[in-house]
Amino acid sequence: MVTIFVRGQRIGPNSDTATLTKLLEAGEPVELKNDADRTIGRFRPEVQTIPATSLVPWDPTLTREDLDRMTAEGGIPFEEVKAQLGWN
């Protein structure tokens, strides 16, 4: 059996995913230990921070001006997109 430790504290049982998820999302370092208390792995989750004011979470560099400009430029009808992709 492998036990998960965060900040030196045992996280368990393994079904306690809510606690583990919060800690992983916070970027806390994690250790995996076996029954003999031997460390078998360590990792630190990569945490990406998104500014609270981000209008587009997947691209926080976009500004309100960018969005307004894109909206003003218009677009193409969905039927045309499907035709370009060969979906017709």
Side-chain angles (χ1 to χ4, degrees), residues 14-78:
N14 289 345
S15 62
D16 185 9
T17 57
T19 300
L20 181 58
T21 300
K22 285 179 192 175
L23 292 168
L24 292 175
E25 287 174 347
E28 293 291 342
V30 174
E31 284 188 337
L32 303 174
K33 295 184 179 186
N34 65 11
D35 289 338
D37 203 33
R38 182 175 149 246
T39 300
I40 56 175
R42 292 185 176 105
F43 75 97
R44 178 181 291 274
E46 183 177 309
V47 177
Q48 296 180 353
T49 57
I50 298 173
T53 59
S54 178
L55 297 170
V56 183
W58 56 89
D59 188 353
T61 63
L62 287 177
T63 64
R64 169 57 65 190
E65 292 76 24
D66 293 329
L67 296 176
D68 290 341
R69 179 184 45 77
M70 288 181 220
T71 303
E73 289 173 358
I76 61 174
F78 185 59

Side-chain angles (χ1 to χ4, degrees), residues 4 8-10 27 50 53 70 88:
I4 300 170
Q9 300 296 315
R10 180 180 183 274
I50 298 173
T53 59
M70 288 181 220
N88 288 348

